[in-house]
Amino acid sequence: MFGYYLDLALRSLRRNKALTALMVLAIALGIGACMTTLTVLHVLSGDPIPGRSTQLYYPQLDPRDMDGYRPEDDPPAQVTWIDGMNLLHARRADRQALMTGGAVPIQPAQSAIEPFFEDARYTTADFFPMFDVPMLYGHAWNQADDEGSARVAVISRKLNDKLFQGKDSTGQTLLMNDVAFRIVGVLDSWRVTPHFYDLNNGSYSEDEGVYLPLTTAKDLKLARNGSTDCWGKGSDPDHMDTAPCVWLQLWVQLDTPAKVAAYKTFLVHYSQEQKTLGRFQRPPNVRLDDVMGWLDFNKVVPGDVRLQAWLALGFLLVCLVNTVGLMLAKFLRRSAELGVRRALGASRREVFMQLLVESGVIGLTGGVGGLLLALLGLWLVRKQPSDYAALAHLDLSMLAATFLLAVGATLLAGLLPAWRACQVTPALQLKSN
Amino acid sequence: MDVLPILSTLRRHKITALLVVLEIALTCAIVCNAVFLISQRLERMQMTSGIAEHELVQIQAFGIGKPDDARAHTQEDLAALRQIPGVKSVALVNEVPFTNSSWNSSIKLDPKQKLPTLNATQYFGEDLLSTFGAKLVAGRNFNPDEYLEFRQVQRDETLQKKVTGVIITRALGEKLWPGQSALGKPIYLGDDSVRVIGVVEGLIRPSLFNGDDTAQWSMVFPLRMDTGNASRYVLRTAPKDRERVLAAAAATLRKANPHRIIQDKKTLDDIRGEFFQDDRAMAGLLAGVCIALLVVTALGIVGLGSFWVAQRRRTIGVRRALGATRRNILHYFQTENFLLATIGIALGMVLAYGINLFLMLHYELPRLPAYYFPVGAVVLWLIGQAAVLGPAMRAAAVPPVVATRSV
């Protein structure tokens, strides 16, 4: 029966080409706009490090003086050098890494490439195992390198391609800011979206090209990129290790809920201890968010992207209302034909199915059109200047969602007209002819 | 035109009529808010800076390796840059408007105050005001002998007390001391106070991270930067010379010291353009959606109108045979559309107001101006009439003889 209904539907749709085109176009536009914006929203609000995100936590403390104190305020978004180092050396978590962003001048050995700046991450060794960073060649540095401020570097695959044409560069020397570093590792392609571990330089910025031990970067006074918040007296750039400034990010890995609770207690105890020592003045004020909690807290998804998704949903709604109206008019106009079918023995249910197949065909065609429009829309998004633009790609789950949305929405839209049309009384329709 | 027969006909097409009304209402609500959002974005892009934007270019220079005698290098750089033909003024500054890097400080009006009064940006750099072209409206500019080395001030707390004055924007003065002259009044940064010696008409702060309301909260201090703590050279020149001056400046800086990286050679117009690029993109997207919505709605009206005309061919024929003129038929469909549009618009206005309330709550948007409602109504009426014109004319063309034929 389905084949017959399909044939009837196609005939009916062909009979009024302009109208069919209008309905398909409306559905396609609505679906296309929706899929484009929802895909962008999906990409931007995704889990940056699936599988690990529930074990990674971001501790916050409040080391500030009483100036401007309000009990309801959140602790600063970063930590001081002293607290960072204390918590790092306490080793109360399964893993811990202290880090900050930076930029280093790279002086390539080849004279053909002019010196250029590369974004860098100055971090302690646990960064690599903790964030599951994939290595292409070599390995990361270890704790001894951290302690000895070793002149070692890990570089990204992209930088390795640029400087060493993709060959294994471990063991080679790289001159950065007039200092010779030994390359110990090369990362495989790696990008976390959002850039959760440091949101100061753009929530969707690309991952860094160079990774150096934090102590090395501090010894060499390498340039920092990021935010520095100071209070009280003195933000002497020569003594950032004692300055009353927060400028570092601390991440810890806590494998079980019990450990999370214990770590939070530890942070409160640490704050109390520092207050007794006179370093802290405020009552203990700590936070311990996991990755998704930290992203939520920072509201990383741009408001505009959410607004666009709402707008597209509204647009789809108008397109659907439009299609329902047109389908209803079309089905009702065929009352006579439907009346004949009913009189010849078709049940109300069969007529209903027949009309539903017709609306399904429109939905399917509209879905295909919507998918093409979504691909076009995402291509347009990628042309945009935003730093997340390059991320706008349709993945398999979104592809399936497009189709379900298109067909589901049109079938839903087809329900009302089909139900209304199959209510016709056969006798009345026959009589009027 | 008698409305009653139209209403009684519409009553027989309740669902279809309701759908048209719903479509017009949704379109009206979305388009009103989208147009409002566009106007907000365009207004933001027009934000005044208070500086001579079309005459400024920026170039960044970063030394490689340990900085030795940054002070002397800076003087060499500045002297060489001033030699470039067409350059009116040069300054090495800590921050530039419409970039995302900014230096800010909380300020108080009384050292005993518990919470800071507000947060304002701090501009440093010799000749900064004359280079930026910010207009002094009260007090005086800094004298050359007032400038202190930022390098020393940063490392020596006692020097911080020696800063002789601060120049602020009119907006900041008005915020701190409403209705009074800011001149001579003290501002506290930490425990040290500094007196306002001058007021400029405007000087926008970079990054606007505290919201657009605080855009003009800027302070300028008589502090001299050097290549060790600042990288942004700003040059002022005639608008037509900007590209040439930028190229010459890059060559000059490279020649003065080849051991450095020179980047971000841009005119301030370009920097401004990039700063507002997301707003521009959003406005474009909203405009696209508005047009698409109106087109879909108009086509929907055309489609439904055509159906109704085809469905009522016989009735129209009968009416024509009974003496109705073509004009009567035409008016019938136009009035019908007008009625549906009016109900839709009325519903749409309520919906538009609701969406606006939601946006005000979640996106800090102001209230929709009242004039949007009549303008929106007229636009939708016109679109409705234009869309129904085709089907209505076709209806008017139905000959009376149709009445005598069965089907």
Side-chain angles (χ1 to χ4, degrees):
Chain A
M1 247 3 222
F2 180 76
Y4 176 58
Y5 290 158
L6 196 65
D7 185 48
L8 280 180
L10 292 178
R11 266 169 210 276
S12 150
L13 291 174
R14 254 198 305 266
R15 210 174 306 145
N16 207 329
K17 289 205 184 73
L19 192 80
T20 308
L22 179 57
M23 289 193 282
V24 168
L25 186 74
I27 294 277
L29 277 176
I31 297 284
C34 258
M35 289 326 295
T36 307
T37 55
L38 288 179
T39 301
V40 172
L41 190 63
H42 170 75
V43 168
L44 297 193
S45 51
D47 185 342
I49 180 161
R52 270 294 166 90
S53 56
T54 50
Q55 293 161 0
L56 299 174
Y57 287 82
Y58 191 76
Q60 285 172 266
L61 305 164
D62 203 336
R64 291 174 294 189
D65 56 27
M66 290 307 281
D67 190 33
Y69 172 67
R70 281 188 304 183
E72 68 272 22
D73 283 349
D74 286 307
Q78 302 180 95
V79 297
T80 62
W81 177 270
I82 296 179
D83 294 322
M85 279 297 162
N86 284 346
L87 295 180
L88 192 70
H89 290 139
R91 305 225 157 264
R92 290 298 186 95
D94 293 297
R95 284 188 179 117
Q96 43 259 306
L98 186 64
M99 65 192 83
T100 184
V104 286
I106 307 245
Q107 298 156 273
Q110 313 92 311
S111 53
I113 310 179
E114 285 274 306
F116 61 93
F117 265 108
E118 183 71 36
D119 283 339
R121 180 126 306 255
Y122 313 141
T123 176
T124 55
D126 273 359
F127 179 92
F128 300 93
M130 188 162 76
F131 292 157
D132 254 340
V133 186
M135 294 302 245
L136 184 63
Y137 303 121
H139 51 80
W141 63 84
N142 56 31
Q143 214 180 310
D145 293 322
D146 274 337
E147 278 155 18
S149 299
R151 305 289 190 256
V152 292
V154 168
I155 62 172
S156 71
R157 183 174 182 159
K158 207 167 143 194
L159 187 63
N160 190 57
D161 287 346
K162 181 170 176 177
L163 296 178
F164 302 99
Q165 290 78 48
K167 289 198 273 286
D168 184 355
S169 61
T170 52
Q172 302 237 35
T173 299
L174 182 58
L175 198 61
M176 292 186 275
N177 204 35
D178 283 348
V179 178
F181 285 81
R182 186 167 52 87
I183 297 173
V184 293
V186 177
L187 300 191
D188 206 343
S189 305
W190 187 61
R191 179 168 185 178
V192 290
T193 317
H195 192 261
F196 71 96
Y197 55 79
D198 183 358
L199 299 166
N200 289 308
N201 301 314
S203 305
Y204 299 95
S205 53
E206 272 191 68
D207 289 298
E208 296 80 359
V210 178
Y211 300 79
L212 303 174
L214 180 65
T215 44
T216 312
K218 185 174 153 286
D219 283 1
L220 296 172
K221 295 198 169 61
L222 294 179
R224 284 188 51 243
N225 262 355
S227 153
T228 308
D229 276 310
C230 300
W231 60 91
K233 281 211 172 290
S235 49
D236 184 344
D238 298 335
H239 301 102
M240 282 307 281
D241 50 350
T242 54
C245 301
V246 291
W247 54 285
L248 293 147
Q249 302 96 42
L250 177 69
W251 281 94
V252 297
Q253 181 181 331
L254 301 163
D255 292 337
T256 63
K259 283 181 181 171
V260 177
Y263 201 86
K264 199 156 183 184
T265 317
F266 164 63
L267 288 177
V268 173
H269 285 162
Y270 174 81
S271 300
Q272 274 159 350
E273 182 191 283
Q274 292 296 316
K275 200 173 171 216
T276 321
L277 290 172
R279 256 196 78 234
F280 286 13
Q281 295 177 20
R282 302 187 178 194
N285 181 12
V286 306
R287 277 186 74 96
L288 189 61
D289 280 311
D290 66 1
V291 173
M292 294 317 275
W294 176 239
L295 293 177
D296 261 1
F297 180 67
N298 284 282
K299 301 192 177 66
V300 291
V301 179
D304 275 2
V305 172
R306 285 186 199 281
L307 199 59
Q308 285 165 7
W310 281 113
L311 185 72
L313 282 173
F315 182 51
L316 177 63
L317 189 63
V318 171
C319 290
L320 284 179
V321 170
N322 185 46
T323 306
V324 174
L326 291 175
M327 264 199 272
L328 184 62
K330 188 169 184 194
F331 290 172
L332 283 181
R333 205 180 155 217
R334 276 160 52 203
S335 295
E337 174 203 320
L338 297 175
V340 172
R341 282 208 67 218
R342 290 274 281 120
L344 290 178
S347 71
R348 197 168 273 182
R349 195 185 137 82
E350 281 165 327
V351 173
F352 183 69
M353 283 311 293
Q354 179 205 336
L355 296 177
L356 219 51
V357 167
E358 190 170 329
S359 59
V361 169
I362 293 174
L364 214 62
T365 325
V368 174
L371 186 65
L372 294 177
L373 285 178
L375 291 175
L376 178 75
L378 288 170
W379 178 79
L380 283 173
V381 172
R382 286 196 291 275
K383 297 271 155 213
Q384 296 292 319
S386 331
D387 52 1
Y388 57 77
L391 302 166
H393 284 280
L394 205 61
D395 60 15
L396 218 64
S397 62
M398 284 315 269
L399 196 77
T402 314
F403 249 84
L404 285 180
L405 185 71
V407 179
T410 342
L411 280 181
L412 209 66
L415 278 181
L416 173 78
W419 172 80
R420 183 71 188 75
C422 70
Q423 298 300 310
V424 296
T425 332
L428 206 65
Q429 289 302 326
L430 293 176
K431 210 173 93 187
S432 78
N433 283 336
Chain B
M1 187 82 211
D2 202 351
V3 180
L4 286 176
I6 300 180
L7 286 178
S8 88
T9 315
L10 283 178
R11 212 167 298 144
R12 296 186 52 190
H13 299 272
K14 255 188 242 129
I15 299 179
T16 325
L18 208 70
L19 287 170
V20 179
V21 167
L22 193 61
E23 186 176 355
I24 292 175
L26 285 171
T27 304
C28 173
I30 296 173
V31 169
C32 273
N33 278 287
V35 170
F36 182 50
L37 281 170
I38 294 173
S39 76
Q40 291 290 311
R41 298 302 168 117
L42 295 181
E43 198 176 299
R44 179 165 201 259
M45 285 162 63
Q46 298 302 314
M47 192 182 285
T48 50
S49 63
I51 61 174
E53 284 173 44
H54 307 310
E55 299 173 29
L56 296 175
V57 297
Q58 176 211 252
I59 185 162
Q60 279 190 277
F62 301 91
I64 298 174
K66 277 219 162 54
D68 48 341
D69 205 2
R71 188 65 225 138
H73 281 307
T74 308
Q75 289 310 318
E76 281 167 29
D77 281 352
L78 289 171
L81 289 172
R82 284 192 193 102
Q83 293 299 312
I84 298 172
V87 171
K88 293 176 190 162
S89 179
V90 185
L92 177 63
V93 301
N94 67 328
E95 57 180 17
V96 168
F98 303 120
T99 62
N100 279 318
S101 151
S102 63
W103 299 28
N104 307 280
S105 176
S106 294
I107 58 178
K108 293 181 177 179
L109 297 181
D110 180 340
K112 290 186 285 295
Q113 217 171 296
K114 202 165 146 41
L115 296 176
T117 308
L118 52 83
N119 178 291
T121 199
Q122 303 168 290
Y123 276 103
F124 307 143
E126 196 171 16
D127 299 334
L128 183 139
L129 286 176
S130 54
T131 304
F132 275 160
K135 221 160 84 204
L136 204 67
V137 289
R140 62 173 180 87
N141 200 344
F142 302 119
N143 299 320
D145 59 0
E146 277 181 292
Y147 282 93
L148 298 175
E149 295 290 333
F150 178 68
R151 170 174 297 280
Q152 289 162 9
V153 173
Q154 205 181 13
R155 288 165 175 79
D156 182 356
E157 279 175 28
T158 59
L159 274 176
Q160 283 168 17
K161 296 186 198 317
K162 298 220 167 95
V163 176
T164 50
V166 59
I167 295 176
I168 63 170
T169 55
R170 180 145 61 190
L172 181 57
E174 195 52 41
K175 175 74 191 172
L176 293 175
W177 304 283
Q180 303 171 44
S181 162
L183 285 182
K185 298 229 165 51
I187 289 175
Y188 285 84
L189 294 106
D191 298 331
D192 302 324
S193 77
V194 56
R195 285 189 186 278
V196 177
I197 63 155
V199 176
V200 289
E201 193 171 17
L203 174 56
I204 198 168
R205 66 196 289 181
S207 85
L208 304 182
F209 72 103
N210 266 345
D212 293 354
D213 296 343
T214 71
Q216 286 289 342
W217 295 359
S218 307
M219 310 182 279
V220 186
F221 292 90
L223 295 173
R224 200 180 284 129
M225 306 306 289
D226 63 49
T227 51
N229 50 37
S231 63
R232 297 172 189 272
Y233 284 102
V234 175
L235 293 83
R236 189 163 172 196
T237 180
K240 64 174 170 39
D241 291 335
R242 284 178 294 181
E243 294 301 330
R244 179 181 58 79
V245 164
L246 262 183
T252 304
L253 288 174
R254 192 171 297 281
K255 204 173 136 213
N257 174 11
H259 201 53
R260 60 177 157 191
I261 294 172
I262 290 166
Q263 61 183 33
D264 287 325
K265 294 182 288 176
K266 286 171 186 166
T267 65
L268 208 75
D269 283 344
D270 290 343
I271 294 175
R272 183 187 178 116
E274 282 170 29
F275 189 75
F276 290 116
Q277 63 192 8
D278 285 349
D279 293 299
R280 194 174 312 115
M282 187 71 179
L285 186 118
L286 287 167
V289 170
C290 282
I291 293 169
L293 264 176
L294 293 175
V295 167
V296 166
T297 305
L299 288 179
I301 293 174
V302 172
L304 270 181
S306 306
F307 259 118
W308 278 350
V309 170
Q311 201 172 25
R312 299 177 199 162
R313 253 178 94 78
R314 258 189 87 197
T315 332
I316 297 166
V318 169
R319 284 199 59 202
R320 292 276 283 126
L322 290 177
T325 60
R326 281 163 187 266
R327 184 172 292 270
N328 287 143
I329 305 292
L330 190 72
H331 280 177
Y332 175 89
F333 282 96
Q334 285 174 334
T335 313
E336 184 185 67
N337 178 273
F338 182 81
L339 279 178
L340 291 176
T342 307
I343 305 170
I345 289 164
L347 207 63
M349 295 298 172
V350 177
L351 209 56
Y353 186 71
I355 295 177
N356 180 234
L357 283 183
F358 172 83
L359 291 177
M360 279 165 65
L361 208 65
H362 294 275
Y363 292 90
E364 290 166 14
L365 223 70
R367 190 176 292 281
L368 201 61
Y371 70 85
Y372 269 67
F373 295 105
V375 172
V378 168
V379 169
L380 277 165
W381 268 321
L382 288 178
I383 289 178
Q385 289 299 313
V388 87
L389 192 63
M393 300 244 285
R394 233 170 302 138
V398 171
V401 72
V402 168
T404 63
R405 298 182 193 143
S406 68
V407 187

